[in-house]
Amino acid sequence: MDWPVQVVDCLAGKIAVGETLTLKGWVRTRRDSKAGFSFINLHDGSCFDGIQVVADGSLPNYETDILKLGAGCSITVSGEVVASQGKEQALEIKAVAIEVMGWVDDPESYPVAKKRHTFEYLRTVAHLRPRTNTFGAIARIRNTASQAIHRYFHERNFYWVNTPIITASDCEGAGEMFRVSTLDLLNLPKDDKGGVDFSQDFFADEAFLTVSGQLNGEAYCTALSRIYTFGPTFRAENSHTSRHLAEFWMVEPELAFADLQDNADMAEEFLQFVFKAVLEERGDDMAFFAQHINPGAISRLENVVSSQFVRMDYSEAIRILENCGKTFEYPVQWGLDLQSEHERYLAEEHVGRPVILMNYPQEIKAFYMRQNEDGKTCAAMDVLAPGIGEIIGGSQREERLDILDAKMEALGLEKNLWWYRDLRRYGTIPHAGFGLGFERLLNYITGMENIRDAIPFPRVPGSAQF
Amino acid sequence: MDWPVQVVDCLAGKIAVGETLTLKGWVRTRRDSKAGFSFINLHDGSCFDGIQVVADGSLPNYETDILKLGAGCSITVSGEVVASQGKEQALEIKAVAIEVMGWVDDPESYPVAKKRHTFEYLRTVAHLRPRTNTFGAIARIRNTASQAIHRYFHERNFYWVNTPIITASDCEGAGEMFRVSTLDLLNLPKDDKGGVDFSQDFFADEAFLTVSGQLNGEAYCTALSRIYTFGPTFRAENSHTSRHLAEFWMVEPELAFADLQDNADMAEEFLQFVFKAVLEERGDDMAFFAQHINPGAISRLENVVSSQFVRMDYSEAIRILENCGKTFEYPVQWGLDLQSEHERYLAEEHVGRPVILMNYPQEIKAFYMRQNEDGKTCAAMDVLAPGIGEIIGGSQREERLDILDAKMEALGLEKNLWWYRDLRRYGTIPHAGFGLGFERLLNYITGMENIRDAIPFPRVPGSAQF
């Protein structure tokens, strides 16, 4: 297939000065010179910048079309690559012909016309917001980070495993889960006790949207050694904060024959790999975020890439927080979970680079995390990054059947998760993994503050539009 | 991070003869020699084959541990890489120490002990089946095809867009969709008319699992020019066939400034790229499928890679089928959709290589497909492959607002899909794309017959286990 030239190719100098070409895209701005010609800034989304097109007044449709072009119109430009007179770009296109493919219906009311809009407003036009500088840049960075994540794992013999979205195995408590059903709500089948008879539902059981692919991922890890998931997960929490989505993407690697130290090493290498790829491959978009959204956007990533992460025990972190002389909103005490303010103090003020906190009290952590020898803590870890706090959470998994059984029985999980304990009955192995919320990572990369702006079409309480 | 050596590295000769190393994995078989030593076949899932470990009777735990090892036990082997005496592999490991990490509880009943099992049985132990030859191979091929898909698009400036899973925009009719809800089923809120009051549900509206990311993908295509989706989609069809899943993964590229011919060219190049990657990168697993599952597995892919796909009009296909002298179960008539038997006749018997059928009657195709000048057909295409029939379905999209509006109004879609028509109101462009069912592609690659075996944890009517 012949792939047409795009703006990114031109700006990269892949088409020599003097060559002719055809470009297709959308007008971002038009500026008319008094000397009887116009400058059109043409975008096609292939990179942050558009390319300047010079349209001479002698073009046959100059009066009828070109002088009517505005933001959002789609055009085909044929012309010659020439050296630019301006300072901004080295090259521009001298148009030989400009054809209009699509006008903008009522330009005055075009929802993303060239002017500043609030991010809140742009969420109401989520179908058009990728046409703006900010959301085009987020979309490209999201892709670059995604590709880097796949590449990181693929190069290290990890297999991408697509764990199920719909599940009848409840992992972390049904209260926060979405039910998936085809039952007729106005004619619900009932059982003897007056409850809903889910045996008549599509899956012959009560089914939910997954909150994590980890447990299924472990089944594949204990067969293929290295696997990762990268897919959508769900929380039915009624949280209206800038940090919660009902639907978000998670990355969850699971590594066989590994302990908590290996897990920490992998998390560090992984984050550095992804950030390095974004810095190297999306300099254009990152420059925009550093200039217009968050001045520290680039230096924050560079700092993570070049820092060695600090490892610290949870117990030591508690001592530091207790003795730091700072007043926190939430209490600091051994046995309590850390809040964002504590995490950020540790990463930002105490050490000034990423910290991996390890060995949390097992009471505040999940049943599958490996119990330490002290009987009080477990092999859990959180990676805390300056500017955001927790960015990764993980653990070594409990591989000893008797200890796992005791924990599962206490929570009543042994019936639904019979298959999970099989992984320890048959050739059990030490293994470890972590979970990364992908949108939270993107906010960290771009400096965007609301997680609703890190995913194309956010799902939150009260809205599943588009 | 220091990544430990895996079996795949050893078999590829990356560790020189004479070097010592440590390998971790699972025992597949143990064979004892009369001369007082044992051969252990050690797998770690990093490739199809295991590596042979020679355990001498002089090892301190030879009697207590090694002679008790069976399928599924996890062990750590330290030893030396030596040239193999056997014919199967060039190298083997001469063990210096073997440590058992995990035994198999009751080896007699180990669900995937080394013997032949039916695929139907293995679905009941989906958590353990990746430990078998067949499902280990499928998992690795699934990953290789996935990585190739990402690479194909990434190298051509396509951006991966994560379109929403939960949606209140109904695309193809609610009858086949799963409802997503947090309403208390035993205490449903009602509206004035006695219906369910979905305004009190989590999303303040009736919400479903998506059947396709295409429409959302188009919003990003008309901003970034080249995008693709690759994610889970859902059908609540009560189909118990070997070709249907309730949850499956789809790949949906969308290309701006493209017509049906471009779309066909892309589909051809794409399939050839993915098949080539699988043949080149997973020769070990493909050899297994060709030997044990489907003798034509490799040659079928090679044939697609080296063939130029035939382009044919739907109308011509109907003429061919009407005049071929063959008796079909389903009728052949202009205006009716083709059945699998027709598609396979065309691809297998009539041309003997992949065929791209184009310009179907618009009555049998979706509203968003572009109406042709004849007023009867639309710019739809299906790629038919020998051995399976339809493998890709796509179209040029209707970019003309007036024609799209008429079709949407006839179906009552204009209210929910107001945003979709905006994409034509503002700088509309010709664009095209296709959809590929990923599990169907994997069945085509491997020769596996049931689609439930192409996804790690299949969801079908009556079962969302694991």
Side-chain angles (χ1 to χ4, degrees):
Chain A
M1 169 162 192
D2 283 336
W3 288 94
V5 170
Q6 294 188 286
V7 170
V8 65
D9 305 313
C10 292
L11 295 179
K14 290 187 186 170
I15 318 295
V17 168
E19 297 276 315
T20 58
L21 50 61
T22 298
L23 284 175
K24 293 169 190 247
W26 295 267
V27 174
R28 198 56 78 81
T29 57
R30 191 196 81 236
R31 187 162 54 83
D32 304 321
S33 154
K34 285 175 187 158
F37 57 92
S38 300
F39 297 104
I40 294 165
N41 191 243
L42 181 74
H43 274 248
D44 64 4
S46 62
C47 55
F48 182 81
D49 289 305
I51 193 163
Q52 179 157 284
V53 175
V54 184
D56 196 82
S58 63
L59 289 172
N61 61 343
Y62 187 76
E63 299 281 339
T64 52
D65 288 344
I66 292 169
L67 285 182
K68 293 174 186 160
L69 288 174
C73 294
S74 51
I75 59 173
T76 302
V77 175
S78 302
E80 185 187 338
V81 179
V82 297
S84 176
Q85 308 296 312
K87 290 173 197 161
E88 300 237 328
Q89 291 179 336
L91 300 169
E92 61 189 27
I93 308 293
K94 188 174 175 338
V96 173
I98 294 179
E99 197 189 314
V100 179
M101 286 181 282
W103 293 101
V104 164
D105 180 16
D106 186 16
E108 288 300 310
S109 71
Y110 181 43
V112 291
K114 180 82 186 170
K115 62 177 180 184
R116 286 206 171 259
H117 298 289
T118 66
F119 295 143
E120 198 169 356
Y121 162 75
L122 288 173
R123 277 171 227 142
T124 69
V125 288
H127 61 309
L128 299 174
R129 66 178 183 170
R131 302 177 178 202
T132 65
N133 277 337
T134 306
F135 289 90
I138 292 172
R140 284 183 296 269
I141 287 176
R142 188 176 170 112
N143 172 69
T144 298
S146 297
Q147 303 289 347
I149 288 167
H150 283 302
R151 211 161 56 236
Y152 174 82
F153 289 120
H154 187 53
E155 288 173 356
R156 286 158 185 78
N157 296 346
F158 283 72
Y159 298 107
W160 189 25
V161 176
N162 300 134
T163 49
I165 309 301
I166 300 170
T167 178
S169 293
D170 168 14
C171 173
E172 298 191 12
E176 297 178 349
M177 298 176 86
F178 290 103
R179 175 179 292 111
V180 175
S181 172
T182 57
L183 290 177
D184 178 357
L185 293 182
L186 296 177
N187 193 14
L188 286 171
K190 296 284 172 69
D191 61 21
D192 301 344
K193 296 170 189 160
V196 176
D197 180 6
F198 288 107
S199 73
Q200 295 189 43
D201 204 347
F202 189 92
F203 296 108
D205 201 351
E206 200 172 4
F208 300 94
L209 292 178
T210 186
V211 298
S212 159
Q214 180 201 315
L215 305 191
N216 296 280
E218 285 186 54
Y220 270 67
C221 172
T222 55
L224 305 177
S225 294
R226 300 179 187 173
I227 67 96
Y228 68 107
T229 75
F230 186 177
T233 53
F234 305 85
R235 293 285 186 288
E237 271 179 74
N238 196 21
S239 298
H240 294 257
T241 78
S242 63
R243 286 168 61 90
H244 290 86
L245 288 168
E247 173 181 319
F248 58 99
W249 284 61
M250 276 235 280
V251 179
E252 297 177 292
E254 194 72 33
L255 179 60
F257 318 117
D259 62 17
L260 191 61
Q261 302 298 331
D262 299 321
N263 205 21
D265 291 348
M266 173 166 69
E268 175 173 356
E269 188 185 79
F270 167 81
L271 278 179
Q272 291 178 332
F273 183 96
V274 174
F275 290 172
K276 197 152 171 281
V278 170
L279 288 169
E280 286 174 359
E281 297 167 33
R282 293 259 54 101
D284 57 347
D285 293 318
M286 286 306 299
F288 169 79
F289 286 108
Q291 276 165 38
H292 295 281
I293 304 291
N294 184 312
I298 292 176
S299 58
R300 189 168 54 234
L301 298 193
E302 288 173 339
N303 181 36
V304 174
V305 170
S306 62
S307 297
Q308 209 185 342
F309 293 17
V310 171
R311 273 84 175 152
M312 185 189 289
D313 253 36
Y314 164 89
S315 300
E316 190 190 339
I318 293 293
R319 279 193 298 275
I320 290 167
L321 291 166
E322 282 174 337
N323 299 320
C324 71
K326 211 177 151 91
T327 311
F328 295 108
E329 189 183 345
Y330 291 91
V332 173
Q333 189 189 312
W334 200 99
L336 297 182
D337 210 356
L338 297 184
Q339 301 297 319
S340 184
E341 56 176 345
H342 310 133
E343 295 173 341
R344 294 186 61 164
Y345 172 80
L346 291 167
E348 289 163 27
E349 301 187 45
H350 186 73
V351 293
R353 52 194 162 111
V355 185
I356 307 181
L357 281 198
M358 302 164 109
N359 301 312
Y360 284 73
Q362 62 176 337
E363 292 291 315
I364 59 172
K365 290 290 181 183
F367 74 93
Y368 50 72
M369 299 188 176
R370 190 178 197 276
Q371 186 178 299
N372 286 332
E373 299 305 317
D374 61 16
K376 292 182 342 193
T377 62
C378 64
M381 68 171 201
D382 282 350
V383 181
L384 316 179
I388 193 167
E390 185 202 324
I391 195 163
I392 278 179
S395 70
Q396 183 173 347
R397 317 309 187 185
E398 183 57 74
E399 87 282 13
R400 295 160 297 187
L401 183 61
D402 52 341
I403 299 177
L404 185 70
D405 272 347
K407 287 181 164 186
M408 284 174 62
E409 276 162 33
L411 295 165
L413 294 172
E414 72 281 12
K415 187 169 149 278
N416 270 345
L417 293 180
W418 62 271
W419 57 271
Y420 184 68
R421 60 185 297 281
D422 267 8
L423 307 179
R424 279 69 176 171
R425 282 177 71 197
Y426 303 123
T428 191
I429 53 162
H431 61 293
F434 63 74
L436 167 97
F438 188 47
E439 285 76 19
R440 213 167 271 188
L441 182 82
L442 290 171
N443 274 17
Y444 188 70
I445 290 173
T446 58
M448 294 292 289
E449 287 187 353
N450 196 312
I451 201 161
R452 300 176 192 207
D453 297 330
I455 192 165
F457 298 93
R459 272 70 185 103
V460 294
S463 174
Q465 257 209 88
F466 306 104
Chain B
M1 168 160 191
D2 282 335
W3 289 94
V5 169
Q6 292 188 288
V7 170
V8 66
D9 305 314
C10 293
L11 294 180
K14 290 187 186 167
I15 317 297
V17 168
E19 298 276 314
T20 59
L21 50 62
T22 298
L23 284 175
K24 293 170 191 243
W26 294 269
V27 174
R28 196 59 76 80
T29 57
R30 191 197 82 237
R31 186 163 54 82
D32 303 322
S33 154
K34 286 175 188 160
F37 56 91
S38 301
F39 297 105
I40 295 165
N41 190 242
L42 181 73
H43 275 247
D44 64 5
S46 62
C47 55
F48 182 82
D49 289 306
I51 194 162
Q52 178 157 286
V53 175
V54 184
D56 196 83
S58 64
L59 289 172
N61 60 344
Y62 186 77
E63 298 282 338
T64 51
D65 287 344
I66 293 170
L67 284 181
K68 293 175 187 160
L69 288 175
C73 294
S74 51
I75 58 173
T76 302
V77 175
S78 301
E80 184 187 339
V81 178
V82 297
S84 177
Q85 306 296 314
K87 291 172 198 164
E88 301 237 328
Q89 292 178 336
L91 300 169
E92 59 188 29
I93 308 294
K94 189 174 176 338
V96 174
I98 294 179
E99 197 188 315
V100 180
M101 285 181 282
W103 293 99
V104 164
D105 180 15
D106 186 15
E108 288 300 309
S109 71
Y110 181 42
V112 291
K114 180 83 187 168
K115 62 176 176 181
R116 285 203 172 262
H117 299 289
T118 67
F119 295 143
E120 198 170 355
Y121 162 75
L122 288 173
R123 277 171 226 140
T124 68
V125 288
H127 61 309
L128 299 174
R129 66 178 183 170
R131 302 178 179 200
T132 66
N133 277 337
T134 306
F135 290 90
I138 293 171
R140 284 183 296 270
I141 287 177
R142 188 176 170 111
N143 172 68
T144 298
S146 296
Q147 304 288 347
I149 288 166
H150 283 301
R151 211 161 58 235
Y152 174 82
F153 289 120
H154 187 53
E155 289 173 355
R156 287 157 185 79
N157 296 347
F158 283 73
Y159 298 106
W160 189 25
V161 175
N162 300 134
T163 49
I165 308 302
I166 300 170
T167 178
S169 294
D170 169 13
C171 172
E172 298 188 13
E176 297 179 348
M177 297 176 84
F178 290 102
R179 174 179 293 110
V180 176
S181 171
T182 57
L183 289 178
D184 178 355
L185 293 183
L186 295 177
N187 192 14
L188 286 171
K190 296 285 171 71
D191 61 21
D192 300 346
K193 296 169 187 162
V196 177
D197 180 6
F198 287 108
S199 74
Q200 295 190 43
D201 204 348
F202 189 91
F203 296 108
D205 200 351
E206 200 172 4
F208 301 94
L209 291 179
T210 186
V211 297
S212 160
Q214 178 200 316
L215 305 191
N216 297 281
E218 284 186 53
Y220 270 67
C221 172
T222 55
L224 304 177
S225 294
R226 300 179 188 173
I227 67 96
Y228 68 107
T229 75
F230 187 176
T233 53
F234 305 86
R235 293 286 185 288
E237 272 179 73
N238 197 19
S239 298
H240 293 258
T241 79
S242 63
R243 287 168 61 90
H244 290 86
L245 288 169
E247 173 180 317
F248 59 100
W249 284 61
M250 277 236 279
V251 180
E252 296 177 293
E254 194 72 32
L255 178 60
F257 318 117
D259 62 16
L260 191 61
Q261 303 298 332
D262 299 321
N263 206 21
D265 292 348
M266 173 167 70
E268 176 173 355
E269 187 184 80
F270 168 80
L271 278 180
Q272 292 177 333
F273 183 96
V274 174
F275 289 172
K276 198 153 173 280
V278 170
L279 289 169
E280 286 175 359
E281 297 167 33
R282 292 259 56 101
D284 58 346
D285 294 317
M286 286 305 299
F288 169 80
F289 286 109
Q291 277 165 35
H292 295 281
I293 305 291
N294 185 311
I298 292 175
S299 57
R300 189 168 54 234
L301 297 193
E302 288 173 339
N303 181 37
V304 173
V305 169
S306 62
S307 298
Q308 208 184 345
F309 293 16
V310 171
R311 272 84 172 151
M312 185 188 290
D313 254 35
Y314 164 88
S315 300
E316 190 190 338
I318 292 293
R319 280 194 296 275
I320 290 167
L321 291 166
E322 281 174 337
N323 299 320
C324 72
K326 214 178 148 90
T327 311
F328 294 109
E329 190 182 343
Y330 291 90
V332 173
Q333 189 190 311
W334 201 99
L336 297 182
D337 209 354
L338 297 184
Q339 301 297 319
S340 183
E341 56 175 345
H342 309 134
E343 295 174 342
R344 294 187 60 164
Y345 172 80
L346 291 166
E348 289 163 26
E349 300 186 43
H350 188 72
V351 293
R353 53 197 162 111
V355 185
I356 307 181
L357 281 198
M358 301 165 108
N359 301 312
Y360 284 73
Q362 61 176 341
E363 293 290 318
I364 59 173
K365 290 290 182 183
F367 75 93
Y368 50 71
M369 299 188 175
R370 190 178 197 276
Q371 187 178 297
N372 286 332
E373 299 304 319
D374 61 16
K376 291 184 340 194
T377 62
C378 64
M381 70 172 198
D382 281 350
V383 181
L384 316 179
I388 194 167
E390 184 203 325
I391 195 161
I392 277 179
S395 70
Q396 185 174 347
R397 318 308 188 184
E398 184 57 76
E399 88 280 16
R400 295 160 296 186
L401 183 62
D402 52 343
I403 299 177
L404 184 70
D405 271 349
K407 287 182 162 186
M408 284 174 63
E409 275 163 32
L411 294 166
L413 295 172
E414 72 280 11
K415 187 168 151 277
N416 268 346
L417 292 180
W418 62 272
W419 56 272
Y420 184 67
R421 60 185 297 280
D422 266 9
L423 308 179
R424 279 70 176 170
R425 283 177 71 197
Y426 304 122
T428 192
I429 53 162
H431 61 292
F434 63 75
L436 167 96
F438 188 48
E439 285 76 19
R440 215 167 268 188
L441 182 82
L442 291 171
N443 275 16
Y444 188 70
I445 290 173
T446 59
M448 294 292 288
E449 289 187 354
N450 196 311
I451 202 162
R452 300 177 191 206
D453 297 331
I455 193 165
F457 298 94
R459 270 72 184 99
V460 294
S463 173
Q465 255 209 89
F466 305 105

